[in-house]
Amino acid sequence: MLKPAVKVHRRIAEIGRDAWDACARNPAYAGDPFLRFDFLQALEEANCAVERTGWGPQHLAVEDEAGEVAAVMPLYLKSHSQGEYIFDHAWADAYERAGGRYYPKLLCAVPFTPVTGARLLARPDVEPDEARRHLVGGALALCEDYGCSSFSVNFPTEAEWRWMGEQGLGRREGQQYHWENAGYASFEDFLAALSSGRRKTIRRERREAQAAVEILPLTGADLKEEHWDAFFGFYMDTGARKWGRPYLTRRFFSLLGERLADRVLLILARRGGRWVAGALNLIGDEALFGRHWGCVEDIAFLHFELCYYQAIDWAIAHRLPRVEAGAQGQHKIARGYLPRPVYSAHYIADPALRGPVEDFLRRERAGVEADIEWLAEEYSPFRKEG
């Protein structure tokens, strides 16, 4: 049995590694590196997800009758909508033009990480729905106490998403592009499943990129500070051009290498003895997750090689079921990454905004589902049978 009280923690360190990971390492989702204490704590220790950056931790914990942590939720008090990859800027703009105050808001998520995973975490001996009721109920109570406009859950599992819909939260659907391993023995085996035109194009892209640089996949003890120095330069260059303010600090990458090196795959490219590009991936039990990329020289097809083809090669060699290549990018379809749904759930406190948002979500879901089906049928690079 769980205690009815839900505790709020302003730092994940207050909960502690053992207590957090007892929930995050539930066999149902133990292979997700983003849920681990070490990943989330590194974001706080490196001053990435803290109050100053608009990500004020408000992590929830529920205890059992023995006083042990039984369920947890990664939760943040947000003063903006940056770094979320689920876009509610139009809702904020409409509400504030009508005289409302959209910020602060509460967000359950892994900061800066558009990766589907469990968000309502419980020890394996705890009944899942009981834990979910306590956690979501606690978040809604906190939303009211703080006078927040909303409470959202970004990138939950489909099961959590459907359960939250049954509890009255609005359900939103989006899409990403994932590569799925159909038991391929090699990259050439994967290419054999594609149309002849796509096979020729990918072979040419790989040949030209590989001729221009030396490529080094690094993981575990092979990761050194010099590699993080180089990659941080790529990350800052790309982030400054795309977002204006990159989210992650140099310290974060050192902590990632110290604490989760066995879950990191850093693919670097070198030309003339100089590091020129890199792609950062995290390794899960069921997927390789592409996260960040950067390049300081304009080299044809190097982005496709480091981010997509090298990831497929690595997943095949290590028998991972899929590669998730991050947010957006229809160009990924031609490289074998097909559209797949992703989810979020939303509670809007003010009924005047809640009604229009829920109506929008119903219409948007239908459009997204139709778009996923159409894109997969119209642009799939795979050979059609018959």
Side-chain angles (χ1 to χ4, degrees):
M1 295 293 294
L2 303 183
K3 292 180 180 178
V6 178
K7 293 185 177 180
V8 181
H9 298 272
R10 304 297 168 80
R11 290 292 184 269
I12 195 172
E14 296 176 6
I15 299 174
R17 176 184 286 106
D18 290 346
W20 184 277
D21 282 348
C23 302
R25 289 178 182 256
N26 185 317
Y29 37 80
D32 186 337
F34 303 104
L35 298 177
R36 289 191 178 185
F37 175 91
D38 284 336
F39 184 85
L40 294 168
Q41 201 272 340
L43 289 171
E44 295 178 18
E45 186 176 332
N47 292 317
C48 304
V50 291
E51 291 80 2
R52 182 175 58 81
T53 64
W55 288 82
Q58 304 284 323
H59 307 305
L60 301 188
V62 180
E63 296 179 351
D64 61 20
E65 290 184 325
E68 300 294 327
V69 172
V72 293
M73 172 194 286
L75 187 66
Y76 300 86
L77 187 66
K78 292 295 305 295
S79 60
H80 55 69
S81 293
Q82 304 302 315
E84 298 178 14
Y85 300 93
I86 300 289
F87 303 108
D88 63 351
H89 302 82
W91 305 352
D93 181 62
Y95 194 50
E96 293 186 354
R97 281 191 288 109
R101 186 171 69 106
Y102 195 74
Y103 303 105
K105 65 178 188 176
L106 278 176
L107 176 67
C108 170
V110 176
F112 325 117
T113 306
V115 172
T116 293
R119 297 292 177 260
L120 313 177
L121 312 178
R123 290 191 332 235
D125 61 318
V126 174
E127 203 283 317
D129 282 353
E130 184 183 6
R132 290 171 178 174
R133 283 191 295 271
H134 281 73
L135 291 169
V136 171
L140 292 174
L142 198 63
C143 184
E144 182 177 358
D145 289 346
Y146 287 175
C148 293
S149 69
S150 58
F151 160 63
S152 296
V153 182
N154 285 2
F155 299 101
T157 65
E158 183 178 2
E160 289 176 327
W161 180 70
R162 294 192 181 282
W163 180 88
M164 285 185 283
E166 292 169 358
Q167 311 311 304
L169 275 68
R171 294 184 300 130
R172 192 172 195 184
E173 192 168 347
Q175 63 176 294
Q176 287 182 349
Y177 300 91
H178 300 169
W179 176 85
E180 296 187 357
N181 189 349
Y184 302 118
S186 65
F187 195 91
E188 280 297 315
D189 194 21
F190 157 62
L191 288 182
L194 305 182
S195 67
S196 61
R198 288 312 312 164
R199 282 199 301 274
K200 292 176 183 176
T201 298
I202 291 174
R203 285 185 179 128
R204 176 174 59 84
E205 291 176 349
R206 298 205 75 182
R207 186 168 58 249
E208 292 191 26
Q210 291 177 5
V213 296
E214 176 190 7
I215 298 173
L216 288 87
L218 303 166
T219 189
D222 293 334
L223 289 163
K224 310 295 182 185
E225 284 298 294
E226 67 166 292
H227 303 133
W228 291 122
D229 284 339
F231 182 75
F232 185 66
F234 308 146
Y235 168 77
M236 290 294 290
D237 178 73
T238 299
R241 286 186 282 107
K242 290 177 66 176
W243 315 313
R245 186 184 71 181
Y247 306 128
L248 303 175
T249 64
R250 174 63 183 83
R251 175 67 175 149
F252 170 76
F253 293 106
S254 288
L255 292 174
L256 189 65
E258 287 174 15
R259 300 171 186 177
L260 287 166
D262 63 329
R263 290 289 181 167
V264 172
L265 174 64
L266 182 63
I267 303 172
L268 293 178
R270 183 164 56 193
R271 180 154 75 171
R274 172 177 178 251
W275 300 114
V276 295
L280 174 63
N281 306 266
L282 265 72
I283 305 163
D285 287 357
E286 298 295 324
L288 183 67
F289 302 100
R291 288 303 305 115
H292 301 286
W293 137 271
C295 184
V296 293
E297 292 188 15
D298 187 12
I299 300 172
F301 308 120
L302 189 58
H303 176 234
F304 300 151
E305 175 64 22
L306 294 194
C307 295
Y308 308 144
Y309 304 144
Q310 286 287 323
I312 290 173
D313 250 339
W314 203 90
I316 291 173
H318 293 81
R319 299 182 180 179
L320 287 179
R322 67 184 183 280
V323 178
E324 297 189 13
Q328 305 171 339
Q330 288 188 11
H331 61 278
K332 295 170 185 172
I333 298 176
R335 277 88 201 169
Y337 292 74
L338 297 183
R340 294 292 183 262
V342 293
Y343 307 103
S344 60
H346 306 270
Y347 165 77
I348 307 294
D350 188 340
L353 180 62
R354 186 189 313 150
V357 166
E358 291 183 349
D359 180 62
F360 165 77
L361 294 181
R362 283 191 293 271
R363 291 182 284 109
E364 185 188 44
R365 280 199 307 274
V368 167
E369 290 168 2
D371 196 43
I372 288 174
E373 184 177 351
W374 177 77
L375 286 170
E377 178 64 27
E378 189 72 15
Y379 293 105
S380 172
F382 292 91
R383 289 187 289 108
K384 292 182 171 56
E385 301 296 331

